[in-house]
Amino acid sequence: MNIKTYLYRFIQAAPLVMAAANGHSDKTLSLGVVVFDGYEPLDIWGPLELFSSMSGTKSIQLSVISHRPGLVTTKVPPSKLASKGATMATYIEATHSFADAPPLDILLIPGGVGNRALQENNDTSVQDFVAARYPSLQYLLSVCTGAAALAQAGVLEGRRATSSKAAWEWVVTHGVNVTWVPTARWVVDGNVWTSSGVSAGLDMVYAFLRHYYSDDIQGVEDMINLIEYAPHTDPHWDAFSIVHKVPGANLSESVVDCVRPAGF
Amino acid sequence: MNIKTYLYRFIQAAPLVMAAANGHSDKTLSLGVVVFDGYEPLDIWGPLELFSSMSGTKSIQLSVISHRPGLVTTKVPPSKLASKGATMATYIEATHSFADAPPLDILLIPGGVGNRALQENNDTSVQDFVAARYPSLQYLLSVCTGAAALAQAGVLEGRRATSSKAAWEWVVTHGVNVTWVPTARWVVDGNVWTSSGVSAGLDMVYAFLRHYYSDDIQGVEDMINLIEYAPHTDPHWDAFSIVHKVPGANLSESVVDCVRPAGF
């Protein structure tokens, strides 16, 4: 072929090459999630359902990280706050401690009443881990009040972020120079993704997976349809900022979101 | 007071008394969930998030039941089907075996590729447990392909039920005289509640909790708003029966559902 044809075909292929270079389907993802007694189950398990489903076709190594390996409960530990949290106990197995967790590409921090118990006990291990690992992460994610730990770690300084709307007034007391966004299902600022409360983690991580596996968006859509979840796809939709009367919430936003299966 | 006034006040109070008698807010609920290697995480953890959140104000005892107490994984065991399931492992702690689980009021059976592995290995322990316990349960719930175990246990005979739409054609080969409903987010037949795939468990269990705690519907609505989930409230909405081309699906149903916070 002549040089003109060769250049033309190269130019046609370049976006595909770039997209594939930006997508991660051919890599092993080292995913870490932190847990602590009294963590909110769906903050972790919504995202883990999505990553687990992707792991049928993608290579994902999961580390579940806590003070020490072993069982971690969703029951809120005894504290001044204990009367407000879950009394029913479920148990997840932590595979690693903060000290021995492997190198991570993505780290996800949940919320839950337990992170207030940590604060009561002057336990800074979660935010210390976030601060120590952030420089080597590709992405840092938080769900619900997990954003408070990110703020305490200093990684939200100069960034926009959101969090649980029910616990908003507590969360926004954390951090320095954080632009807390009161109406947002989730916020993306650089490589830091923060979501609203609990169920919002499903929507944020679905959007994240479309970004991370940009070379296989069809695979991500097939996955979300397999698990029969019709996602909220607009990060600006945040009915719960209105429900929970968050100061500064955009009250003109609709509380209704019309959702549908991916690709339909 | 005279007899007329007395009778009048009694008649006024009767519905409240009946509602309170039908609601369960003052009782301890013994909840059992079954798990097995390769169970689908959100089938259990969506419902557990809802029950866990209710347990801040309700008394709920949870038993996580499997072949033996100890760790159970979401990674699909080696089988002819292993290539189709999750390769990433998460671990839940089973608290009881099928043999020593306590008396239960409510039993929930999940799905997942793992229940096909059980079948390959001629392991009937899940359906045997369902069959043994059903007579003493108040309610039996299944999510996703968990309905196949209910069918194999014989408890769907003469009943209407639904299941995962992606796995529909496998599920409906199970059971005798089952009316499988191809377009349904969930189905209620007597005390047996069966949901569509994975995420549908959240919607079914939200509706179930409104029924079970009928004396505190406000508490249930407050809970679902706390976890920022805008539920699908119409059991007839089933976009995924269309997505997955289920034979007999009602193709005139809308794939769109407009959802909003509870009470809004």
Side-chain angles (χ1 to χ4, degrees):
Chain A
M1 74 178 90
N2 65 27
I3 189 80
K4 204 163 137 182
T5 308
Y6 183 80
L7 281 173
Y8 182 65
R9 288 189 182 174
F10 182 78
I11 289 163
Q12 273 185 307
L16 296 172
V17 171
M18 282 164 53
N22 288 338
H24 296 86
S25 291
D26 60 340
K27 298 190 175 59
T28 293
L29 158 58
S30 176
L31 170 68
V33 301
V34 163
V35 291
F36 42 84
D37 286 350
Y39 80 95
E40 191 67 33
L42 197 61
D43 289 13
I44 289 290
W45 288 103
L48 285 182
E49 170 64 49
L50 302 191
F51 282 107
S52 176
S53 296
M54 290 308 299
S55 79
T57 56
K58 308 285 182 246
S59 177
I60 304 176
Q61 290 284 336
L62 173 67
S63 302
V64 178
I65 306 160
S66 194
H67 294 90
R68 66 192 69 77
L71 298 181
V72 175
T73 180
T74 47
K75 185 172 175 174
V76 178
S79 74
K80 290 199 290 287
L81 299 156
S83 63
K84 289 189 189 175
T87 57
M88 184 185 94
T90 73
Y91 297 96
I92 187 176
E93 174 81 352
T95 56
H96 293 84
S97 68
F98 295 121
D100 71 13
L104 302 170
D105 300 314
I106 298 173
L107 177 62
L108 187 149
I109 307 295
V113 180
N115 63 8
R116 260 173 275 197
L118 291 172
Q119 196 166 60
E120 266 187 46
N121 297 327
N122 298 314
D123 182 333
T124 62
S125 48
V126 176
Q127 72 231 40
D128 292 346
F129 183 71
V130 171
R133 290 303 186 109
Y134 178 66
S136 59
L137 296 173
Q138 273 196 300
Y139 295 97
L140 175 63
L141 278 56
S142 71
V143 180
C144 197
T145 57
L150 270 56
Q152 289 167 308
V155 304
L156 296 185
E157 189 163 347
R159 291 192 191 270
R160 299 172 66 248
T162 199
S163 180
S164 155
K165 299 311 170 351
W168 187 255
E169 295 191 30
W170 175 77
V171 171
V172 299
T173 62
H174 296 80
V176 172
N177 192 23
V178 182
T179 301
W180 293 107
V181 182
T183 295
R185 191 68 170 162
W186 72 90
V187 170
V188 182
D189 192 319
N191 66 348
V192 181
W193 294 54
T194 54
S195 87
S196 196
V198 194
S199 307
L202 277 160
D203 304 312
M204 177 183 74
V205 172
Y206 172 66
F208 175 79
L209 287 169
R210 292 175 65 100
H211 167 82
Y212 192 78
Y213 292 119
S214 56
D215 52 342
D216 186 20
I217 288 180
Q218 186 63 57
V220 180
E221 291 191 348
D222 288 347
M223 178 276 293
I224 206 77
N225 284 338
L226 195 77
I227 69 167
E228 301 195 26
Y229 186 63
H232 297 284
T233 56
D234 177 3
H236 303 292
W237 175 78
D238 188 8
F240 297 95
S241 67
I242 297 169
V243 170
H244 297 296
K245 298 181 168 58
V246 170
N250 180 356
L251 298 178
S252 64
E253 280 268 334
S254 173
V255 294
V256 176
D257 194 25
C258 295
V259 294
R260 66 186 68 210
F264 277 73
Chain B
M1 71 178 94
N2 64 28
I3 188 79
K4 202 165 142 181
T5 308
Y6 183 82
L7 279 174
Y8 182 66
R9 288 191 184 174
F10 182 77
I11 290 165
Q12 273 188 307
L16 294 173
V17 172
M18 282 165 52
N22 289 336
H24 297 84
S25 291
D26 59 340
K27 296 189 174 61
T28 292
L29 157 59
S30 176
L31 169 68
V33 301
V34 163
V35 292
F36 43 83
D37 286 350
Y39 80 95
E40 190 68 33
L42 197 61
D43 289 13
I44 289 290
W45 287 104
L48 285 182
E49 171 64 49
L50 302 191
F51 283 107
S52 177
S53 296
M54 292 307 300
S55 79
T57 55
K58 308 284 182 245
S59 178
I60 304 176
Q61 290 283 336
L62 173 67
S63 302
V64 178
I65 306 160
S66 194
H67 294 88
R68 68 192 67 77
L71 296 182
V72 175
T73 181
T74 47
K75 183 173 177 175
V76 177
S79 76
K80 290 199 292 286
L81 300 156
S83 63
K84 290 188 187 174
T87 57
M88 185 185 92
T90 72
Y91 296 96
I92 187 176
E93 174 81 353
T95 56
H96 293 84
S97 69
F98 295 121
D100 70 15
L104 302 170
D105 300 313
I106 298 173
L107 177 62
L108 187 149
I109 307 297
V113 180
N115 63 9
R116 258 172 277 198
L118 291 172
Q119 195 166 60
E120 266 185 45
N121 296 328
N122 298 313
D123 182 333
T124 62
S125 48
V126 176
Q127 71 232 40
D128 292 345
F129 183 71
V130 172
R133 290 304 187 107
Y134 179 66
S136 59
L137 296 174
Q138 275 197 298
Y139 295 97
L140 175 63
L141 278 57
S142 72
V143 179
C144 198
T145 56
L150 271 55
Q152 290 166 307
V155 304
L156 297 185
E157 189 161 350
R159 291 192 191 271
R160 299 172 67 248
T162 199
S163 181
S164 155
K165 300 308 168 354
W168 186 255
E169 295 191 30
W170 176 78
V171 172
V172 300
T173 62
H174 297 80
V176 172
N177 192 24
V178 182
T179 301
W180 291 107
V181 182
T183 296
R185 191 70 170 162
W186 71 90
V187 169
V188 182
D189 192 318
N191 66 346
V192 180
W193 294 53
T194 54
S195 86
S196 196
V198 193
S199 308
L202 278 160
D203 303 311
M204 176 182 74
V205 172
Y206 172 67
F208 175 79
L209 288 169
R210 293 175 64 99
H211 166 80
Y212 192 77
Y213 292 118
S214 57
D215 52 342
D216 186 22
I217 288 180
Q218 186 64 55
V220 179
E221 292 190 349
D222 287 347
M223 177 277 292
I224 206 77
N225 284 338
L226 194 78
I227 70 167
E228 301 196 26
Y229 186 63
H232 298 284
T233 55
D234 178 2
H236 303 292
W237 174 79
D238 189 6
F240 297 96
S241 67
I242 297 169
V243 170
H244 296 297
K245 300 180 165 60
V246 171
N250 180 357
L251 298 178
S252 64
E253 281 269 335
S254 173
V255 294
V256 176
D257 194 23
C258 296
V259 295
R260 65 184 69 209
F264 277 74

